[in-house]
Amino acid sequence: MADPGVTQRYAVIGGGWAGFAAAMELARAGHAVTVYEAARTLGGRARKVDRAVGQEHTVLDNGQHILLGAYTETLRLIKLAGQDPSELILTLPLQMRYPAGSGGMDFVAPRLPAPLHLAWALLRAKGLSRADKLALMRFSTAMRWMGWQLYNDCTVSELLQRFDQTQQLNRLMWHPLCLAALNTPPERASARVFINVLRDSLGASRRRASDMLIPKADLSALFPEAAARYVEQRGGGVRLGAKVDALQALPGGRWRLDDGEAFDGVVLATACAQAASLLQGVHDARLDAVITQMQALTPEAISTCYLQYDASVRLDLPMHALADAPESGHWGQFVFDRGQLDSKQAGLLAVVISASGPAAEQGHGALAQAIAAQLAQVLRRPELAQPLWTQLITEKRATFACTPDLARPGNASGVPGLLLAGDYTAGDDRTLDYPATIEGAVRSGVAAAKAVRARVQAGKLAK
């Protein structure tokens, strides 16, 4: 092992949100960090995409995202990277607002202290009956009494049935929230992980934790590109188009990448499938259990359909919830008015479909046409049926299916000097497990960096 009294050299494989969270924390601790990213664009599965329209280029995201005020680690690192969240993110109070006349609900939390903001929002909510509101109050009260912990996991659907949640409340509140947070249908989704997200947002002592944050900047500019500058300013390096094909363990917990440089440690922060492939090439029996857990994770897709209209087209709100009804050809679950986030994108709408495997099977053209027809109908604006152009982006492995009692690997690989980071990893405490979200990825990256620092400190003490 290299002398722990001097600066350590670390490689981070993967230039997504988890990778740069780890890289920033290591650079901040004074270590020399080199980030390897196989693509030419930073951000992993939350990145920008350039689309050519004639002679012009439009910058889209590979998926429309919503962050939460509870994403404390994400917001901390965005600020640490020199970014101003107030300029790059639109902050909205917690809300679930369907288009008027669409049979939905209108639920908006005022800017009151928690939990009064939720009580007031529920009292004033439209589209919910008295029975619906009482059911929501029972659920919230029960979760607080339970300390927002569920020791025996089950599906979200089973949890909602246990607490007598109404059909209307399930359809308009819990179903879309579960899909948005876990990207897994309620009948298959982990209730424990769902409650973890609710605890940090709806159940938080700070009202701001429940705020909904919509990026104005593209996802690469919001964090990964700024994080790359942070790492480079501290003597580190960021290599684009640099795919790592092999890892070789060296004596003393050191590692070599391909046939090139050697490092004091490696943080493997690629997507789960790529990470499993690299680990298999190490040929170390201590990695077998981790590889098995990785391979058991089932991917779930997310699709985002962008629809460009005349620049004069504008929605009443920056974001509307949509009631999905696949049997009626209504696949969209949320629609965002990108023009209200960035004036350069006037007339551009983004429609999100979580757990989109069945929707994507319709084919790009047919699905985009169905979404345009859905918008025209539920928003009562016939002109939305004829967009100028559409772009459908489907991330087939956007997340893993977050099912009950799912065995997920932690940050430790089982081999010295090799740490894992990614939204698929689990924490040491199951009550802290997060789904495959940006915050989950960032938390994992930070945890991996802490594990590296602990190893360095242990080496110093051994001296």
Side-chain angles (χ1 to χ4, degrees):
M1 181 184 297
D3 183 355
V6 300
T7 298
Q8 304 284 288
R9 297 181 67 248
Y10 290 97
V12 175
I13 305 174
W17 291 62
F20 273 111
M24 283 187 65
E25 289 293 280
L26 291 172
R28 187 166 70 98
H31 299 299
V33 183
T34 303
V35 179
Y36 293 80
E37 170 53 50
R40 294 289 179 180
T41 302
L42 298 177
R45 284 165 290 131
R47 67 186 186 281
K48 68 180 180 182
V49 176
D50 289 322
R51 183 192 189 279
V53 184
Q55 300 298 316
E56 299 182 2
H57 286 267
T58 299
V59 177
L60 308 174
D61 286 321
N62 71 316
Q64 176 66 54
H65 282 67
I66 303 177
L67 285 68
L68 295 175
Y71 286 10
T72 53
E73 286 296 271
T74 300
L75 294 172
R76 177 181 70 84
L77 288 182
I78 287 174
K79 293 177 183 177
L80 183 63
Q83 304 280 71
D84 183 353
S86 65
E87 293 183 358
L88 302 175
I89 297 173
L90 174 66
T91 300
L92 299 174
L94 174 68
Q95 56 191 266
M96 190 66 74
R97 311 191 71 178
Y98 290 80
S102 66
M105 62 184 287
D106 193 42
F107 178 98
V108 187
R111 299 192 181 280
L112 295 174
L116 293 178
H117 68 312
L118 295 179
W120 185 257
L122 185 59
L123 179 66
R124 299 297 297 270
K126 299 177 182 178
L128 295 179
S129 67
R130 183 172 181 272
D132 300 327
K133 295 180 180 182
L134 288 175
L136 182 53
M137 290 177 61
R138 281 198 308 272
F139 183 85
S140 178
T141 301
M143 289 300 107
R144 292 180 186 278
W145 181 78
M146 293 166 56
W148 299 94
Q149 294 186 28
L150 188 67
Y151 295 104
N152 297 313
D153 206 358
C154 62
T155 68
V156 171
S157 292
E158 290 169 337
L159 178 74
L160 298 176
Q161 184 178 11
R162 185 183 306 172
F163 288 95
D164 298 319
Q165 298 301 281
T166 65
Q167 183 177 354
Q168 180 81 336
L169 196 58
N170 288 341
R171 183 175 71 90
L172 299 178
M173 175 73 84
W174 299 127
H175 175 80
L177 282 181
C178 179
L179 281 174
L182 274 65
N183 194 38
T184 309
E187 59 271 18
R188 294 193 287 112
S190 165
R192 178 189 288 129
V193 177
F194 186 53
I195 288 174
N196 290 348
V197 177
L198 295 181
R199 175 200 62 214
D200 290 351
S201 52
L202 300 183
S205 59
R206 298 183 307 113
R207 177 201 55 77
R208 291 183 179 180
S210 66
D211 283 346
M212 306 177 83
L213 313 180
I214 309 177
K216 298 179 183 178
D218 68 75
L219 292 173
S220 294
L222 180 61
F223 174 65
E225 292 176 351
R229 293 192 293 270
Y230 181 96
V231 170
E232 290 172 334
Q233 289 166 1
R234 284 155 183 77
V238 177
R239 302 182 184 181
L240 297 177
K243 182 181 179 182
V244 175
D245 293 312
L247 294 173
Q248 179 186 358
L250 302 175
R254 303 184 76 239
W255 290 83
R256 187 183 306 280
L257 275 56
D258 296 327
D259 294 325
E261 297 179 74
F263 293 88
D264 296 298
V266 171
V267 176
L268 182 53
T270 65
C272 183
Q274 286 74 26
S277 178
L278 274 173
L279 293 182
Q280 283 180 306
V282 177
H283 303 294
D284 189 319
R286 290 174 292 181
L287 295 171
D288 290 348
V290 169
I291 294 172
T292 299
Q293 288 179 327
M294 289 178 165
Q295 293 174 334
L297 298 179
T298 304
E300 287 278 4
I302 297 178
S303 296
T304 302
C305 185
Y306 292 94
L307 305 97
Q308 180 67 61
Y309 299 93
D310 183 82
S312 62
V313 170
R314 182 182 175 91
L315 301 186
D316 295 336
L317 300 170
M319 176 186 74
H320 278 291
L322 302 172
D324 61 334
E327 67 279 2
S328 301
H330 288 192
W331 297 98
Q333 296 154 0
F334 290 92
V335 58
F336 298 80
D337 185 347
R338 294 294 310 175
Q340 296 190 44
L341 304 171
D342 181 356
S343 60
K344 296 178 181 178
Q345 295 186 334
L348 181 64
L349 304 184
V351 177
V352 176
I353 309 171
S354 296
S356 65
E361 291 176 358
Q362 308 303 307
H364 290 193
L367 181 55
Q369 185 177 4
I371 290 172
Q374 177 186 1
L375 294 178
Q377 180 180 340
V378 300
L379 292 168
R380 298 182 177 184
R381 296 179 62 170
E383 72 274 16
L384 298 184
Q386 299 295 330
L388 299 176
W389 55 260
T390 63
Q391 176 73 56
L392 183 68
I393 299 176
T394 296
E395 278 287 327
K396 294 182 179 180
R397 293 179 172 270
T399 71
F400 59 88
C402 193
T403 53
D405 287 320
L406 185 65
R408 296 157 57 181
N411 290 110
S413 69
V415 180
L418 178 62
L419 280 299
L420 307 178
D423 58 12
Y424 63 90
T425 62
D428 295 331
D429 184 348
R430 295 299 298 272
T431 65
L432 299 179
D433 281 354
Y434 247 49
T437 59
I438 282 177
E439 178 72 359
V442 169
R443 288 187 184 189
S444 178
V446 171
K450 288 182 178 179
V452 167
R453 295 202 303 270
R455 175 172 172 262
V456 172
Q457 185 62 31
K460 288 181 179 179
L461 293 176
K463 290 288 185 178

